[in-house]
């Protein structure tokens, strides 16, 4: 991927897309094609076709998607499958039609079976039933992977990253949930002690979703690394006999209780946590096997503690709360 290459990052204002833009900038890429949602509706087939005809990007990072937590996915499944299918179909089709050299599609760890052997290898895709609360979203992502497999080259690559669609810097649980104790009074339990409520029951351990988010910058660096592979390293990933998938993650997992304790330590919270077992808990465990990515010469650099601390500093710097 030459430094002057014309690169389109779809979804560049989102958490994943903005991290990819930063990673490209650090690597010296300046010829970026960026469009906000108000400027380009990716579910509009005609608008996407006109955009590709006019801009002619050479490389595409498809990070745009409709994302949400377990409750949103469970409550509005039709919205998640409809919008994500439309985005994927339009962008991947037009990338292939206009001769894009390489396309990287951000998948999701939700694509794997709910009760998958651990750690989860790429070839476990489609080997068992999905987690019901995220099935519509997962099926849309699986469809995107299949599109990458069957459209004409070169738009034939996908990546499944450790966090479903919210890496560390603004994960569904960390700043909005775990850091909430820093911006409003702590609720009191019956004994007069501060308590925070956490969803789930801590019986499972997951790398993805709310349990161990991948750092956004690690995820982005991995994506850029894959797109910069020489042809000899890239071609086997998209060979007809290969699943066009590469897991991205830290290769570790942690329980909800361990994560909550770590966040509490970093933000200075001294109260208790109450686990609400009435809330859906999702897949029991999602530890991704990242050996394929490691064999391609890349490993995560940011530790969990370091990432949470950086996210908390950013949370405070933005005026979202006051340190305890």
């Amino acid at each position: 991927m030459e430094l002057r290459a014309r690169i389109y990052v779809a979804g560049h204002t989102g958490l994943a897309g903005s991290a990819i833009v930063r990673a490209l900038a650090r690597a010296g890429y300046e010829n970026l094609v960026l469009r906000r949602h108000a400027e380009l509706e990716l579910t509009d087939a005609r608008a996407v076709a006109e955009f590709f005809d006019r801009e002619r990007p050479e490389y595409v990072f498809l990070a745009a998607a409709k994302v949400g937590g377990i409750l949103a996915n469970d409550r509005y499944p039709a919205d998640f499958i409809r919008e994500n299918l439309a985005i994927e179909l339009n962008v991947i089709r037009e990338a292939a039609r206009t001769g894009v050299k390489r396309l990287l599609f951000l998948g999701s760890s939700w694509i794997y079976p709910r009760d998958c052997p651990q750690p989860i290898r790429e070839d476990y895709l489609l080997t068992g039933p999905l987690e019901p609360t995220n099935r519509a979203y997962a099926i849309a992502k699986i469809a995107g992977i299949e599109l990458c497999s069957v459209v004409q080259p070169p738009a034939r690559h996908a990546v499944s990253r450790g966090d479903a669609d919210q890496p560390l810097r603004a994960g569904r649980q960390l700043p909005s949930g775990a850091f909430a104790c820093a911006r409003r009074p702590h609720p009191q339990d019956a004994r007069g002690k501060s308590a925070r409520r956490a969803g789930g029951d801590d019986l499972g351990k997951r790398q993805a979703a709310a349990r161990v988010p991948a750092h956004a910058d690690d995820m982005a660096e991995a994506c850029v690394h894959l797109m910069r592979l020489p042809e000899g390293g890239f071609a086997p990933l998209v060979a007809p006999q290969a699943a066009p998938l590469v897991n991205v993650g830290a290769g570790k997992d942690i329980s909800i209780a361990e994560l909550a304790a770590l966040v509490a330590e970093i933000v200075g919270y001294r109260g208790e946590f109450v686990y609400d077992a009435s809330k859906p808990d999702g897949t029991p465990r999602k530890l991704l096997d990242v050996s394929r990515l490691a064999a391609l010469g890349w490993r995560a650099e940011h530790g969990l503690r370091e990432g949470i601390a950086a996210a908390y500093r950013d949370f405070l710097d933005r005026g979202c709360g006051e340190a305890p």
Side-chain angles (χ1 to χ4, degrees), residues 114-304:
R114 183 184 190 279
D115 299 311
C116 213
Q118 304 293 316
I120 303 173
R121 300 192 333 228
E122 289 88 349
D123 58 5
Y124 291 165
L125 182 68
L126 299 177
T127 59
L130 300 167
E131 159 60 33
T133 56
N134 281 268
R135 186 168 54 210
Y137 171 76
I139 288 174
K141 286 294 185 179
I142 292 170
I145 294 169
E146 186 65 14
L147 280 169
C148 289
S149 298
V150 300
V151 297
Q152 293 298 311
R156 294 182 56 191
H157 191 61
V159 53
S160 175
R161 57 190 175 84
D163 175 25
D165 276 290
Q166 296 278 355
L168 181 56
R169 290 187 57 169
R172 281 191 294 278
Q173 288 285 331
L174 288 173
S176 61
F179 294 163
C181 59
R183 70 169 183 261
R184 62 173 178 262
H186 306 319
Q188 301 296 311
D189 66 13
R191 294 166 294 178
K193 297 180 180 179
S194 296
R196 298 303 302 168
R197 184 171 299 276
D201 57 12
D202 193 43
L203 295 178
K205 299 181 79 172
R206 286 186 294 173
Q207 175 176 359
R211 307 295 175 81
V212 178
H215 196 287
D217 289 338
D218 276 340
M219 176 280 302
E221 293 289 349
C223 290
V224 174
H225 177 81
L226 288 169
M227 290 287 263
R228 297 183 70 179
L229 287 174
E231 192 59 30
F234 189 86
L237 299 177
V238 295
Q241 68 274 16
L245 280 172
V246 179
N247 288 336
V248 176
K252 303 175 183 178
D253 67 352
I254 189 172
S255 71
I256 294 176
E258 291 167 331
L259 179 59
L262 179 58
V263 172
E265 178 185 340
I266 291 171
V267 306
Y269 175 64
R270 299 293 181 263
E272 298 178 357
F273 286 90
V274 178
Y275 294 96
D276 186 354
S278 69
K279 298 295 190 298
D281 196 36
T283 300
R285 191 181 183 194
K286 288 195 293 184
L287 173 60
L288 297 181
D289 184 324
V290 294
S291 57
R292 192 176 191 189
L293 182 59
L296 293 169
W298 187 90
R299 293 181 184 275
E301 295 183 358
H302 295 83
L304 182 60

Side-chain angles (χ1 to χ4, degrees), residues 42-60:
L42 294 178
T43 62
D44 184 333
R46 176 176 294 181
V48 174
E50 292 175 351
F51 165 78
F52 272 86
D53 282 334
R54 181 173 60 253
E55 300 297 337
R56 293 285 170 169
E58 300 171 80
Y59 296 87
V60 173

Side-chain angles (χ1 to χ4, degrees), residues 1-7 28-32 58-59:
M1 192 165 66
E2 307 80 8
L3 286 180
R4 290 301 304 163
R6 195 162 176 77
I7 303 169
Y29 292 94
E30 300 178 351
N31 193 14
L32 305 184
E58 300 171 80
Y59 296 87

